Amino acid sequence: MEIIIAKNYDEMSKISAGIIACEIRKRHDLVLGLATGDTPIGTYNALVDMHKKDGLDFSKVKSFNLDEYIGLAPLHPNSYNFFMRENLFKHININSENVYVPQGNTDDPEEFCLWYEEQIRKAGGIDLQVLGIGSDGHIAFNEPGSSLASRTRVKALLKQTIEDNSRFFDKIDAVPRFAITMGVGTILEAKKLLLIASGKKKADVVAEFIEGPVTSQITATALQLHSYATVVLDLDAASKLKRTEYYNWVRDNKQLVQKKVGR
Ligand code: GLP
């Protein structure tokens, strides 16, 4: 895992947008996995800027979102579908036919999950998957105890997640109890992973997932099993890490490290 510690949220967003843009420039028909939440908003804003100012081209990019609340229609203002349109899709030249977000109001979630996996397979797999982290250590909606081999499925949400995400809803009772989510196994099949985290409230769980043992109780620890995972943090989110000096040395000596380890 490569750990990059940025000065603040703004720098974290620019670095992660730079990583995504670099992959799109290398491969115009990149298959990009996308995440929601407050954390990636700055990254998406920076990508929109690169599209408007430098012509970053999304016309051939395919995107797959990680998750969606069960019961919310794509146009519902609290749906992740709506979030993606407002924060990214409507500002760039992505082809709507290439955009995949799980459908929260599907009549048959089980069938839908199989179909979603099939679409990822047909696209040739995800090249770069963007991830955030929940305060309970989840990636997508893979709550504690999720199998590290899990596939796209319906998951019941933890009370802590419902409380965390209630800030986007009028009242806590309006937060759906279930979601469709890519599984940890689905996420691990992406060729590259990019997890971003910011703020003091993520500091404990960030330290646990980077420096603690792999456990299904903190599904982000599954990144330790991946051969190409990058984590971009701001100083607050990185504040409980023990090996900061080492991560910074690797970052500051990137050319030397690349020459020796080939990455
Ligand atoms: C939700 C999403 C996750 C996201 C998490 C953190 O639970 N399902 O994909 O990583 O929120 O969100 P935030 O960035 O707002 O802290």
Side-chain angles (χ1 to χ4, degrees):
M1 238 193 287
E2 183 181 7
I3 313 296
I4 301 173
I5 301 169
K7 283 198 292 285
N8 51 35
Y9 179 81
D10 195 42
E11 194 185 60
M12 176 203 78
S13 303
K14 289 198 173 111
I15 292 171
S16 44
I19 292 171
I20 299 166
C22 176
E23 295 298 320
I24 295 174
R25 289 196 182 102
K26 275 197 277 192
R27 205 185 142 175
H28 293 294
D29 59 349
L30 191 82
V31 182
L32 183 58
L34 294 170
T36 49
D38 280 334
T39 315
I41 291 178
T43 303
Y44 295 156
N45 288 342
L47 285 174
V48 170
D49 262 10
M50 286 184 211
H51 167 66
K52 293 198 168 141
K53 295 187 187 136
D54 315 325
L56 182 66
D57 182 16
F58 291 83
S59 62
K60 296 202 168 63
V61 169
K62 230 177 212 174
S63 74
F64 285 91
N65 259 81
L66 286 169
D67 46 15
E68 178 61 285
Y69 291 113
I70 288 273
L72 301 194
L75 288 176
H76 191 289
N78 286 127
S79 74
Y80 284 167
N81 210 307
F82 187 87
F83 172 97
M84 288 309 301
R85 234 186 348 267
E86 289 304 304
N87 289 293
L88 184 64
F89 299 148
K90 78 175 191 193
H91 307 288
I92 57 175
N93 67 333
I94 196 161
N95 180 344
S96 57
E97 284 177 13
N98 289 339
V99 165
Y100 293 80
V101 181
Q103 192 190 331
N105 63 345
T106 171
D107 290 337
D108 190 342
E110 245 174 80
E111 190 56 38
F112 180 86
C113 292
L114 293 173
W115 178 85
Y116 203 67
E117 288 269 339
E118 181 60 20
Q119 301 318 301
I120 296 174
R121 247 191 313 275
K122 276 193 188 153
I126 292 169
D127 294 308
L128 173 64
Q129 176 66 58
V130 179
L131 298 161
I133 183 168
S135 61
D136 63 1
H138 69 218
I139 44 174
F141 270 131
N142 290 287
E143 297 289 36
S146 292
S147 157
L148 300 185
S150 52
R151 311 301 308 186
T152 303
R153 69 208 184 291
V154 175
K155 195 75 198 158
L157 303 182
L158 203 78
K159 189 160 164 260
Q160 189 179 331
T161 301
I162 292 171
E163 281 164 8
D164 285 350
N165 293 357
S166 65
R167 68 190 192 276
F168 300 110
F169 292 79
D170 296 339
K171 48 184 180 22
I172 193 157
D173 292 345
V175 185
R177 303 266 136 176
F178 295 91
I180 292 178
T181 179
M182 275 190 210
V184 181
T186 319
I187 293 168
L188 287 179
E189 274 173 16
K191 292 173 195 85
K192 293 182 181 176
L193 301 179
L194 170 63
L195 187 147
I196 52 180
S198 107
K200 278 229 153 17
K201 66 178 194 299
K202 299 282 173 72
D204 285 316
V205 82
V206 160
E208 280 180 284
F209 101 80
I210 294 174
E211 295 176 340
V214 174
T215 167
S216 66
Q217 293 303 311
I218 299 172
T219 53
T221 59
L223 267 73
Q224 296 178 30
L225 303 171
H226 197 275
S227 57
Y228 203 118
T230 305
V231 180
V232 186
L233 307 167
D234 66 6
L235 271 178
D236 283 341
S239 58
K240 298 273 175 76
L241 287 169
K242 292 198 186 79
R243 305 203 169 86
T244 308
E245 201 186 320
Y246 173 67
Y247 310 134
N248 289 340
W249 185 88
V250 172
R251 184 189 174 184
D252 295 342
N253 293 278
K254 182 116 185 174
Q255 277 184 334
L256 173 69
V257 173
Q258 271 173 340
K259 218 164 103 189
K260 298 276 183 199
V261 304
R263 185 186 155 185

